[in-house]
Amino acid sequence: MNEAEIKERVAAFLGEHDPSGDRLEFLRARFDAGLAWVWFPEGLGGLAAPRELQQVVERELADTPQINGGKQGIGLGMAAPTILAFGTEEQKRRFLRPLWTGEEIWCQLFSEPGAGSDLATLATRAVRDGDEWVVDGQKVWTSGAHHSRWAILVTRTDPDVPKHRGLTYFVCDMQAPGVEVRPLRQITGEAEFNEVFLTGVRLSDDLRLGEVGDGWRVAQTTLMNERVAIGGAPTRRGGGVMATVLSAWREHPELRTHDLHGRLLSLWVEAEVTRLSGARLREQLAAGQPGPEGSGMKLSFARLNQALTGLDVELRRDLGYDDWAFRRSEDVDFYGRGPGYRYLRAKGNSIEGGTSEILRNIISERVLGLPSEPRVDKDVPWKDLPR
Amino acid sequence: MTLLYSEVEEELRSSVRGLLADRCPPAAVLKRVESEPYDLDLWKTLAGEIGVAGLLIPEELGGAGASASEAAVVLEELGRAVAPVPFFTSAVLATQALLPTRDALLGELAEGRKTAALAVSFTASPYAPGRGSSVTVDGDGRLSGTVTGVAGAEVADVLLVPVGGDLYAVEGASVEVVPSLDLTRPVATVTFEQAQGRRVGGCDLAAVLGFGAGLLASEQLGVAEWCLETTLAYVKERHQFARPVGSFQSIKHRLADLWLDVVRARAAARNAVADASSISVAVAQSWNAGVAVHAAEEALQLHGGIGMTWEHPVHLYLKRAKATELALGTPGDHREALASLVDVPGPS
């Protein structure tokens, strides 16, 4: 399928469905027409078309009802590609459509109080009981758990083998008895994250994603997609947080100093070369020659976001803060809030979705081929590891 | 517009890389730097057999009619080898100045029968094109004055001298090589004393220097790539505390960061040849110049004591990187230019 053909498809779709009608009906129809994710298979929101054609679809449908990328971020960026790669046909048909339309929101039950960067150490147990699994444990840093219908969940099903081998991946029903969500107040004042306590939660075996004991491999798919989702979005020159800082800079000449000017220009250049390497990466993907550059995108994004939001606060010389109220956010309202909020929230960018240190390890070992540090946990059963 | 390499470019790269591997290994470059740094036999082969000297010259004028993008790939390879040949000074800078005049000299340059140099200080920039030059021309077309810091002058058969918007071809000026920071691309002081010049046409020197600055980013990319690859190989081999040095996280993280800088330098260099606007050139120079220096400094540090010796070639790369940081505008000069190009005005 090429650009002209996809445009025809979109035109035909718009001929049959009125964008000014019911929003949800329109989104459902768009999914059914294969215009949700064009590179997904037919019948699952796609047309088995080249991925770059999605940009054409987005342009053509720019003035129609849109899905909520912020609130649906985890479902779209992480759950969907994992379900596509490891789900059964039944699971794909059950989950993908309401995930895309936003009728069902997803969250991610991965990190635990004792397992963050070393995720494979996690302790949440799942024990088989006939056609069901019984799950007990505690998860943390769960964004949006308070309004989620489903979660992707990694559990330990075999404590007697080394840590990576004893994991199993599930879709967790957030409405099941025994699921308790408690808000975690963050440095910004709000509660976008949660702790999730799982006590005797019963999940039927058809909610399992992938084989028993293969959870680490399934989780890797989620994590790789997560990093692309966080750092890989196309931006325009001077866009994103840079645009926010630049408008403050242009509107307030009285706040400019030579030092700020020099630092802002350096960051402008860094943002631009980062944008260009993202553009180059997408060209490589489209040409079927994926490079390792993707591994670095999230790392650069975190650094730039933090440096720019810090400079923004400093530039404005304003000791105020917009709102410390303790509230349950629907999504990260990065641009709707003040500079102080952006500065504090951006601190999470180098922690969430893999810390910058873990990403540097991944680059140095998988891209540059450097040896790993000596491992003390390699052939030790998980239950014998010091915790 | 693409930021990728074409098949033709990859073929050109592999011929140049193959030749340089045979004829210009670091040990050979090291051996000649103190006596006769330039390798003119190698230059003859590059120009004659691979045809690099005429890349930017249109076919009807005797060249290959290629684009800046191909010349950039050659520069990446020459940077990786710190190859002591006058490609950048003759086939890029001097040729670009001469192109609008369509002078017959272009045919000789394309075949490599003659080599030219632009009599401009290597530290002049698109924003200060006259830096380092005091040359004037009298009513009879005689040139007088001095240009300091000219790269490639001592191996040039003809000097192209920009004076007041015109370009003169001069043979027979006094060229005095001075001890230079960059051993593989030394600079000279060029003096004209009533030298007879032939006016070959007009010259927009700032535009020529901007074009050169955009391409220099590719040479800087090549320098940075060699430093990163050589250092990676070394830290995998070298053991301390009964482990390869490259297994320590503090080393791995520095190299991961350096890799990310180089990845972005490649995108910036490609963008500067795909879209030769002033913004692209300024972005590429302000980023790549710094990345090349940083890569060479990291290479030196991570090689430990051996990096500080004359026998290890890393110093050649550090010297080339530091010299090109100053060439055709420093990173700061280019960022300052960006301030007005992208509307980030400074304090009044």
Side-chain angles (χ1 to χ4, degrees):
Chain A
M1 186 163 295
N2 60 31
E3 193 170 331
E5 285 163 357
I6 201 93
K7 278 186 178 166
E8 263 175 52
R9 286 265 189 159
V10 176
F13 168 72
L14 284 174
E16 286 170 30
H17 302 276
D18 178 10
S20 61
D22 182 71
R23 175 179 173 276
L24 200 54
E25 284 308 319
F26 183 84
L27 290 175
R28 285 176 180 155
R30 178 175 162 184
F31 183 94
D32 296 338
L35 299 172
W37 295 290
V38 296
W39 69 100
F40 271 44
E42 291 193 45
L44 296 174
L47 297 166
R51 187 168 182 157
E52 70 266 20
L53 292 180
Q54 186 66 32
Q55 295 169 32
V56 180
V57 174
E58 298 302 338
R59 267 202 308 274
E60 298 292 307
L61 294 178
D63 299 325
T64 65
Q66 298 293 311
I67 57 174
N68 183 343
K71 195 172 171 188
Q72 293 174 241
I74 288 166
L76 297 166
M78 295 138 222
T82 311
I83 293 168
L84 182 71
F86 289 95
T88 62
E89 280 310 305
E90 210 184 328
Q91 287 170 334
K92 291 177 199 173
R93 287 186 193 285
R94 164 66 188 85
F95 293 121
L96 290 176
R97 190 174 186 254
L99 181 158
W100 188 81
T101 60
E103 289 163 82
E104 293 179 347
I105 300 300
W106 288 67
C107 64
Q108 185 178 1
L109 297 173
F110 274 37
S111 290
E112 296 184 6
S117 287
D118 186 7
L119 178 65
T121 312
L122 61 87
T124 293
R125 289 288 299 272
V127 178
R128 191 155 197 157
D129 181 19
D131 280 345
E132 290 187 327
W133 293 81
V134 182
V135 183
D136 287 279
Q138 183 194 344
K139 295 287 180 176
V140 73
W141 317 133
T142 315
S143 306
H146 47 290
H147 52 71
S148 290
R149 173 68 187 84
W150 299 103
I152 41 180
L153 164 72
V154 193
T155 64
R156 180 157 313 278
T157 45
D158 187 352
D160 297 322
V161 294
K163 60 182 186 180
H164 293 91
R165 296 218 297 271
L167 303 173
T168 302
Y169 198 111
F170 292 95
V171 167
C172 179
D173 182 349
M174 293 298 285
Q175 291 171 355
V179 177
E180 189 198 345
V181 176
R182 293 185 201 163
L184 262 180
R185 195 174 188 193
Q186 292 151 232
I187 59 173
T188 54
E190 68 187 340
E192 160 203 337
F193 302 154
N194 301 275
E195 298 177 288
V196 179
F197 294 85
L198 304 160
T199 314
V201 177
R202 301 191 79 88
L203 299 177
S204 69
D205 188 54
D206 60 17
L207 289 175
R208 175 165 50 79
L209 217 50
E211 299 304 313
V212 175
D214 202 27
W216 184 247
R217 195 163 68 95
V218 186
Q220 287 305 306
T221 300
T222 310
L223 295 176
M224 274 187 307
N225 278 290
E226 178 171 33
R227 283 155 201 165
V228 174
I230 292 177
T235 45
R236 59 187 174 80
R237 178 183 276 167
V241 197
M242 179 57 80
T244 312
V245 183
L246 287 178
S247 57
W249 181 265
R250 287 168 188 148
E251 284 157 24
H252 298 282
E254 75 282 5
L255 296 176
R256 295 176 201 157
T257 66
H258 289 288
D259 169 57
L260 287 168
H261 192 225
R263 285 152 63 201
L264 179 57
L265 285 168
S266 290
L267 287 170
W268 192 94
V269 170
E270 187 173 345
E272 175 64 3
V273 296
T274 304
R275 186 185 74 82
L276 289 169
S277 64
R280 189 163 189 275
L281 174 67
R282 283 188 296 280
E283 276 190 62
Q284 283 179 304
L285 288 171
Q289 28 175 284
E293 281 85 345
S295 321
M297 295 312 289
K298 184 194 173 259
L299 194 56
S300 335
F301 161 82
R303 204 201 90 78
L304 270 167
N305 233 15
Q306 293 176 347
L308 277 170
T309 53
L311 187 77
D312 195 21
V313 172
E314 192 183 337
L315 159 69
R316 294 169 197 258
R317 298 188 192 224
D318 177 2
L319 290 171
Y321 186 78
D322 62 350
D323 185 3
W324 289 116
F326 177 34
R327 54 180 176 185
R328 314 296 310 267
S329 326
E330 290 239 310
D331 56 21
V332 184
D333 189 15
F334 209 68
Y335 296 103
R337 299 275 310 261
Y341 170 85
R342 281 193 289 277
Y343 169 70
L344 295 174
R345 180 59 187 85
K347 289 288 159 247
N349 294 158
S350 51
I351 302 168
E352 59 201 343
T355 61
S356 292
E357 288 70 24
I358 287 290
L359 294 176
R360 287 189 182 97
N361 281 352
I362 291 173
I363 291 170
S364 55
E365 289 172 21
R366 298 192 202 155
V367 179
L368 305 180
L370 291 171
S372 54
E373 296 218 47
R375 295 282 295 267
V376 293
D377 57 356
K378 216 169 166 186
D379 297 313
V380 185
W382 175 81
K383 65 176 168 50
D384 298 332
L385 287 174
R387 268 190 300 280
Chain B
M1 188 179 118
T2 173
L3 301 175
L4 305 180
Y5 298 101
S6 71
E7 267 177 51
V8 174
E9 284 159 22
E10 290 297 359
E11 279 166 30
L12 178 62
R13 177 198 304 286
S14 76
S15 348
V16 174
R17 187 178 289 192
L19 179 70
L20 293 175
D22 282 351
R23 298 266 298 269
C24 188
V29 181
L30 255 178
K31 212 166 147 187
R32 55 187 318 137
V33 285
E34 283 176 289
S35 49
E36 242 184 290
Y38 281 99
D39 185 343
L40 294 180
D41 284 338
L42 174 66
W43 174 233
K44 224 167 135 183
T45 313
L46 274 166
E49 288 176 19
I50 303 184
V52 301
L55 281 177
L56 295 176
I57 300 172
E59 287 178 42
E60 67 270 20
L61 297 175
S67 68
S69 181
E70 278 102 356
V73 170
V74 172
L75 279 166
E76 285 181 25
E77 293 306 311
L78 296 175
R80 284 176 70 97
V82 280
V85 292
F87 176 79
F88 185 70
T89 49
S90 180
V92 175
L93 278 183
T95 298
Q96 183 69 13
L98 201 54
L99 273 177
T101 71
R102 302 179 71 83
D103 193 85
L105 181 56
L106 283 163
E108 294 182 89
L109 294 183
E111 287 172 22
R113 278 190 284 130
K114 275 196 177 170
T115 297
L118 192 59
V120 171
S121 169
F122 211 39
T123 61
S125 74
Y127 325 112
R131 186 195 302 274
S133 173
S134 66
V135 180
T136 55
V137 61
D138 68 16
D140 301 327
R142 290 174 193 280
L143 282 73
S144 301
T146 304
V147 193
T148 55
V150 182
E154 74 272 32
V155 288
D157 303 299
V158 51
L159 290 170
L160 296 171
V161 196
V163 194
D166 290 316
L167 190 66
Y168 295 85
V170 180
E171 293 179 45
S174 146
V175 175
E176 192 195 338
V177 178
V178 299
S180 305
L181 177 64
D182 183 355
L183 292 159
T184 55
R185 187 158 53 208
V187 292
T189 300
V190 176
T191 308
F192 304 97
E193 286 177 24
Q194 299 264 302
Q196 187 61 54
R198 172 173 71 88
R199 184 184 176 279
V200 286
C203 178
D204 180 351
L205 184 57
V208 171
L209 296 176
F211 176 82
L215 276 171
L216 190 60
S218 289
E219 187 189 287
Q220 287 159 333
L221 168 63
V223 168
E225 275 184 346
W226 182 91
C227 292
L228 174 60
E229 285 169 23
T230 303
T231 306
L232 282 171
Y234 183 76
V235 300
K236 287 176 196 174
E237 288 291 311
R238 168 78 173 168
H239 280 63
Q240 292 282 269
F241 306 100
R243 285 162 59 180
V245 167
S247 68
F248 289 91
Q249 218 172 43
S250 64
I251 307 292
K252 289 161 76 172
H253 287 192
R254 281 167 71 165
L255 288 165
D257 284 337
L258 182 56
W259 172 80
L260 195 52
D261 287 348
V262 172
V263 162
R264 292 183 285 181
R266 184 173 299 109
R270 286 278 95 189
N271 185 56
V273 291
D275 158 42
S277 67
S278 303
I279 294 178
S280 302
V281 168
V283 165
Q285 267 303 306
S286 44
W287 184 259
N288 289 25
V291 171
V293 171
H294 179 58
E297 289 177 347
E298 287 288 81
L300 197 153
Q301 173 68 19
L302 297 179
H303 274 79
I306 187 77
M308 202 57 204
T309 65
W310 190 268
E311 64 177 307
H312 194 284
V314 71
H315 66 94
L316 299 176
Y317 290 81
L318 177 67
K319 291 163 187 172
R320 171 69 69 91
K322 196 65 191 172
T324 56
E325 186 184 40
L326 277 54
L328 307 179
T330 64
D333 295 338
H334 289 283
R335 281 197 296 270
E336 211 173 281
L338 278 171
S340 55
L341 290 169
V342 301
D343 188 23
V344 184
S348 43

